Structures are given as C-alpha cells and as structure tokens.
Amino acid sequence: MSSITPADIEVGAKGGGGAPGRPGRVSLGGLSLNLRSSGIYIAFALIIALFSVLTDGALLQPQNISNIIVQNSYILILAIGMILIIIAGHIDLSVGSVVAVTGALAAVLMVNMGVPWPLALLITLVAGALIGAWQGYWIAYFGIPAFIVTLAGMLLFRALTLTVLGNQGIGPFPDQVRTLANGFTDGWLGNIGLGPLGGADLFSLLIGIVAIAGMVLAQWRSRSARKGYGQTVDSLALFVLKMAAGAALILFLVVQLARFKNLPWVLVLLAVLVLAYSLMANRTVFGRQIYAIGGNLQAAVMSGVKVKSVVFWIFVNMGVLSAIAGVIFAGRLNQAGPTAGNSFELDAIAAAFIGGAAVQGGVGKVVGAITGGLIMAVINNGMSLIGSPSERVMLVKGAVLLAAVAFDVWTKRRAGTAR
C-alpha cells in the first residue's frame, strides 16, 4: 500500500481528470485546469466577489472576517473529521449530538464539579473518543451500516444531553476556555504601519509570511514528487498562478485580522488541525488506506488493508473532533445548552460534499472540506448582511449543495463516457 497515493486512487477509481483534453479539464489561455479539483476554489472566489459587491465591501472588513472564522470554527473542525469518513464511504449523522453531550460533560466537570480546566478538557476528549469507539465498533466489526448506527447515536446522545442538562444551560466557563473559543493572540512584537490601512500586528504578519512560504514549499515538493513518478502535474504557469492566488488570499486574510484584534486562537487551532490532517491523509499509510477503502473496497482488502481497523479509528477520530467542537461551541456561548449542536451534522456533511467529496467515497481533501465550510459561512454571513430572510438563506445553501453533488456526478459520467 505504500506505493499508492490519494491522487492515484482518485484518478484510477473515480475517473478524475488527467492530461489536457481529458474529461473534467478545460483550457484557458493555454492553461489546462482541472475543474473537479480546482472548481471549488474558483466558485469560492466568485461567491466572495459577489457578496463583496452586494454588501458594499462590508463582507471583507476586518471585524466581519474575524466573525466568520470564530462563528463557524466548530463546523470547520467537524468538517475535517467528516471528510475522512465520507472518503472511506461512510457517513456520520451523530456529530451534532456528540457536540452537545461533550459540551455538557465539559460544563459539568468545569462548572459544577470544579475540575481544573486542562483535566476536564482531557476527560472530555477521552469521552469523545469512547463515543467514537462505541459507534466505530458497531460499524466496523458488527457490520451495521454507518447511517443506521450514527442515526441511533444522534438520538441516544441527544437524549443523554437532555438528561444531564434538562432544560437549563450550565455556565459560565473558565476564562481560558472562553479565550480559546473567542479570544485573540497578543501583539507580542507591536504594530507596524501599513500606510492607508493603518497599523497591524507584526507577529501576525510574520505568521502569515511563514504560512505562505510553507505552502509554496510543500506544494513544490509534492509537484516534484508526482512528476518524478511520471504522474500528470499542472503546468509551471498554472502552478505559479495557483501559488500566487493562495499567497494573496493568506496575506489578505492575515492583514485584515492583524488590523482588527490579531489572529483568533481558534484560527490557530484550525490551522494546526488542517496541517496535521492534510499530512496524515496525503503522506501516511493510514491516510492512503482511507482513500483505498473508499475508492475500491475489494481491492483494498486484497491489498492487505485492515479495513475494519481503519474504519474503527476514523470514527474514534470523529468523536475526538466532535468533543473539541463541543468545547469550542460551549466556550463561545459561555454555557452548555440542551439545543447545542442542532443541525451541525448537516452543515459538516454539506461542507464535505461542497468541498469536493464524492458520493461513493474515495475522493476528497481536507482543504476542500474547509473551503466548502467557508462557502457556507460566507453565504450565511453575506445574506445576513444584505438582510435576506432565513428561508432564502436555506434555499441558497440547498441549491449550492445540490449543484456541488450534481457536478461531481456529471464529471464522473463524462469520464466514464470518454473511456
């Protein structure tokens, strides 16, 4: 299995684009672009541009960007775990209820019992892992479909939350937990003048520059490795264009945040999670096995992949991430409530599919899921800024989700027809 890469599986099992002229690719001014892998980022840019115009620039104001990140951080955390489960060909409908019950547990430990917050946080994460292990056992080793197990989990853990909390919330949380959910990094190196943009935190700007350098280096090494194995890679011009666009986006984001209150701590946490899970999915044997299971289960079994073990552990991982999201959400509200986590599972699933996950599994990226979550967040925020009613927001989000899945099905059909 060590010779299999996620890219191999995506192309081989799902018929993704390859060289110019194959299905799923378009040529623009001599640049060959894979719509299936890059279309989500183009759509994200267009959505941002649209709402920037509709809101007269309010969407991209420093405070509003900070609000978008903080208010949607828990959905993005859930989307990281959800994309791995969907890649493996499963689904998890219980994450919203797990968010609620782990948030309730954290509140009972920290507020009612006075347990020090680091120990309470550790206990909460272990509880999330045990919940994931409970569900993972029934799915992986007992053979019950994930849809049924997690649907039962959604009801069970919601009932447990109501049993613990009743109709009341528990709070307030310790300052450290509230800071993680709502706080910002300190300005350790002071401010620097940016001309008409005013002052910005120097430390935050340096973090942004380091992030850009790391992104370019990692992508260049990945491109060189794929080229060395004889795989199709983007042209140098397209690669440079993508890196320039990514660098501009990161720099703009960091500058705007540095002009407001510096980097949100939850953004730092998200960055660490995205980096760690991207490396795991793309560079480790375990990550390749997840893709292999979703891409072709029978081939994965014949290749020696321990399917049951892999499926078990991705659900344990989902439980841990749900616990993290539960603490973040409760800390942001400064209390654990019985209705916490309602519909979070739908938002996390939508983020994964909008971000490029395939319905049958085997395809998807952690960064894509984050992008899908941000698309939903921008739609929510942008339509709120222009005063759209909630039913219209749901209408647009549903249409975007349907369009994303329809595009996935359409590209696979084109690939199959062209063979």
Side-chain angles (χ1 to χ4, degrees):
M1 283 301 300
S2 59
S3 62
I4 300 176
T5 68
D8 297 330
I9 297 168
E10 179 173 345
V11 173
K14 298 298 178 184
R22 290 186 181 180
R25 301 190 75 96
V26 295
S27 295
L28 299 172
L31 299 178
S32 178
L33 187 67
N34 189 326
L35 283 180
R36 185 167 187 179
S37 61
S38 303
I40 181 65
Y41 306 109
I42 297 173
F44 185 36
L46 293 176
I47 289 172
I48 290 176
L50 173 63
F51 281 108
S52 297
V53 173
L54 294 178
T55 61
D56 294 326
L59 179 76
L60 297 179
Q61 290 301 308
Q63 183 174 354
N64 194 61
I65 293 177
S66 179
N67 290 340
I68 290 174
I69 294 171
V70 172
Q71 293 171 5
N72 295 276
S73 56
Y74 34 89
I75 298 297
L76 300 179
I77 291 172
L78 293 176
I80 295 173
M82 189 65 73
I83 188 68
L84 299 179
I85 288 178
I86 292 175
I87 289 171
H90 296 281
I91 200 74
D92 192 341
L93 301 178
S94 69
V95 293
S97 296
V98 179
V99 165
V101 74
T102 52
L105 174 62
V108 169
L109 292 172
M110 296 181 196
V111 180
N112 290 357
M113 301 178 63
V115 176
W117 73 268
L119 178 58
L121 179 59
L122 177 61
I123 294 173
T124 302
L125 296 182
V126 172
L130 291 175
I131 290 172
W134 163 264
Q135 300 194 121
Y137 167 78
W138 291 108
I139 295 166
Y141 294 102
F142 209 78
I144 302 177
F147 180 89
I148 300 300
V149 173
T150 58
L151 179 60
M154 179 176 68
L155 300 175
L156 288 171
F157 300 123
R158 181 62 62 182
L160 185 57
T161 302
L162 294 173
T163 301
V164 172
L165 298 178
N167 292 322
Q168 298 180 344
I170 298 179
F173 277 79
D175 291 340
Q176 294 87 343
V177 176
R178 290 193 308 233
T179 298
L180 176 61
N182 290 317
F184 299 84
T185 57
D186 295 324
W188 290 295
L189 299 179
N191 280 13
I192 184 174
L194 296 177
L197 296 179
D201 178 54
L202 178 59
F203 180 78
S204 298
L205 296 178
L206 292 176
I207 291 295
I209 293 173
V210 171
I212 292 172
M215 176 195 70
V216 173
L217 178 61
Q219 292 298 317
W220 178 259
R221 291 182 62 184
S222 176
R223 181 179 185 274
S224 299
R226 289 172 61 86
K227 194 173 181 179
Y229 282 113
Q231 299 177 3
T232 302
V233 298
D234 292 328
S235 65
L236 182 60
L238 181 58
F239 175 81
V240 171
L241 181 61
K242 286 183 176 181
M243 292 302 98
L249 176 62
I250 293 174
L251 190 60
F252 175 80
L253 176 66
V254 170
V255 167
Q256 292 294 78
L257 292 174
R259 291 174 59 204
F260 180 53
K261 292 183 179 179
N262 303 333
L263 302 178
W265 276 113
V266 74
L267 176 61
V268 177
L269 173 62
L270 268 171
V272 171
L273 290 175
V274 170
L275 178 61
Y277 278 91
S278 294
L279 290 174
M280 183 275 292
N282 297 322
R283 301 293 180 86
T284 69
V285 173
F286 183 77
R288 294 165 184 164
Q289 290 175 341
I290 295 174
Y291 280 93
I293 291 170
N296 192 323
L297 178 58
Q298 293 179 342
V301 172
M302 294 178 65
S303 299
V305 176
K306 297 179 179 179
V307 174
K308 294 180 179 180
S309 176
V310 172
V311 171
F312 174 81
W313 284 109
I314 61 175
F315 277 94
V316 172
N317 173 73
M318 187 75 253
V320 173
L321 290 177
S322 297
I324 294 174
V327 173
I328 295 295
F329 184 71
R332 177 175 171 266
L333 298 181
N334 203 22
Q335 74 167 5
T339 60
N342 279 343
S343 300
F344 282 13
E345 61 278 350
L346 303 181
D347 289 333
I349 293 169
F353 282 119
I354 292 173
V359 178
Q360 290 84 3
V363 176
K365 294 181 179 179
V366 171
V367 175
I370 295 296
T371 305
L374 289 175
I375 286 177
M376 302 287 279
V378 170
I379 291 174
N380 274 331
N381 183 266
M383 297 192 73
S384 175
L385 290 175
I386 62 178
S388 296
S390 59
E391 61 270 19
R392 192 173 300 169
V393 176
M394 289 188 287
L395 176 66
V396 172
K397 289 167 64 177
V400 170
L401 174 59
L402 180 61
V405 176
F407 178 75
D408 171 66
V409 173
W410 175 71
T411 53
K412 285 202 294 288
R413 286 180 177 175
R414 284 194 62 196
T417 303
R419 288 179 177 177

